[in-house]
Amino acid sequence: MAEEPVIRAEGLAVAFNGNTVFRDVTFEVRRGEIFVILGGSGCGKSTLLKALIGLVPLAAGRAFLLGEELAAARDDATRRALLRRIGVMWQSGALFGSMTLAENVELPLEEHTALPRPAREALARAKLGLVGLGDAAARLPAEISGGMAKRAGIARAMALDPPLLFLDEPGAGLDPITSAGLDRLIVDIARDTGTTFVVVTHELQSILAIGDRCIMLDKQARGMIAEGDPRRLREESTHPTVRAFFRREAA
């Protein structure tokens, strides 16, 4: 019997004020893989991520996370229990500027667990250590680099040990060396912990470095135009937009 996918999306559509962002988006994410949502600017990548976690309403379709349909949650307690099983890192890191990195990572533990403060502090230090920021726990977000902020955001997303992590444009605004280091971190975490990652990005080098599988959205098509191993898509796709994206050619 096949294992239940971590994510199952069936015919998803999102529209704002009657304008369709995408439609008929169907895919599955398997346990333990790094799944990339890619495409050009304005194609709906981040909107799809938000729709999957319930921040944007669906105009059509159904989305299942970890075997449960978020939109069909019977009550707030059921919804909160499901949301505790996922972690999200937003594009900017979204750290609270008045809190140290350790306090930022502690926040989900304080909100969602009954752990005593010493235990929360120890877990926060452990998560920061996992992303290479063990020595920066007492720093404020304004005192660290953009790459460090992204890693701290990942540490906070991992605070509750969720089996599923969403990362929104993790390499945006980073220099190539820092971005490559972040790619290695994502791959290491996925392989060492078995965590499933869904990564939104248009950074071609990152897609090829980390992606096990991907889907590609297209603004003109208003939906999916490709699915599969990004390396095979680069070599084998005959779709002109997919070929142009992977070969960095002008459309």
Side-chain angles (χ1 to χ4, degrees):
M1 184 176 177
E3 185 178 18
E4 175 77 14
V6 177
I7 296 176
R8 188 168 80 251
E10 302 176 349
L12 304 188
V14 167
F16 297 119
N17 299 319
N19 297 314
T20 299
V21 180
F22 54 76
R23 58 188 168 230
D24 299 325
V25 172
T26 297
F27 63 91
E28 292 184 351
V29 179
R30 303 162 188 160
R31 190 172 304 279
E33 73 178 348
I34 301 174
F35 187 88
V36 181
I37 300 172
L38 61 93
S41 299
C43 67
K45 301 185 298 294
S46 293
T47 300
L48 176 55
L49 183 155
K50 292 174 183 176
L52 288 171
I53 62 177
L55 293 181
V56 169
L58 291 170
R62 303 174 73 187
F64 297 84
L65 304 181
L66 303 167
E68 299 185 56
E69 187 178 9
L70 189 61
R74 296 179 301 278
D75 50 49
D76 285 344
T78 303
R79 183 182 177 87
R80 285 172 61 86
L82 177 56
L83 291 175
R84 281 186 58 184
R85 300 176 66 201
I86 70 173
V88 183
M89 189 214 76
W90 300 109
Q91 185 175 151
S92 65
L95 301 174
F96 290 98
S98 61
M99 295 180 174
T100 65
L101 300 191
E103 289 168 342
N104 267 280
V105 177
E106 260 190 84
L107 189 59
L109 297 167
E110 184 176 355
E111 290 290 320
H112 297 289
T113 75
L115 291 172
R117 184 173 181 178
R120 296 198 308 266
E121 291 175 343
L123 281 171
R125 287 194 299 271
K127 298 303 181 188
L128 287 168
L130 187 64
V131 300
L133 293 176
D135 294 334
R139 294 191 188 181
L140 294 170
E143 299 171 338
I144 61 174
S145 68
M148 293 171 73
K150 296 292 182 77
R151 285 187 280 154
I154 293 175
R156 186 175 62 185
M158 295 176 60
L160 297 171
D161 292 321
L164 175 58
L165 283 181
F166 292 88
L167 309 183
D168 187 18
E169 297 283 7
L174 301 181
D175 66 81
I177 294 175
T178 302
S179 182
L182 190 61
D183 290 341
R184 286 196 299 271
L185 173 65
I186 292 168
V187 171
D188 288 345
I189 292 172
R191 303 300 177 253
D192 292 346
T193 68
T195 302
T196 303
F197 281 84
V198 175
V199 182
V200 168
T201 185
H202 63 267
E203 302 285 345
L204 183 56
Q205 286 185 315
S206 291
I207 293 163
L208 297 173
I210 69 175
D212 294 314
R213 287 192 309 119
C214 69
I215 58 170
M216 183 172 181
L217 303 183
D218 180 66
K219 186 175 182 179
Q220 287 188 320
R222 296 184 181 180
M224 280 175 54
I225 58 172
E227 179 178 9
D229 182 324
R231 288 156 291 276
R232 294 193 64 178
L233 290 175
R234 178 181 60 173
E235 300 300 327
E236 301 174 8
S237 178
T238 59
H239 192 293
T241 304
V242 177
R243 287 175 61 86
F245 181 92
F246 278 102
R247 300 185 183 199
R248 300 188 68 179
E249 296 172 350

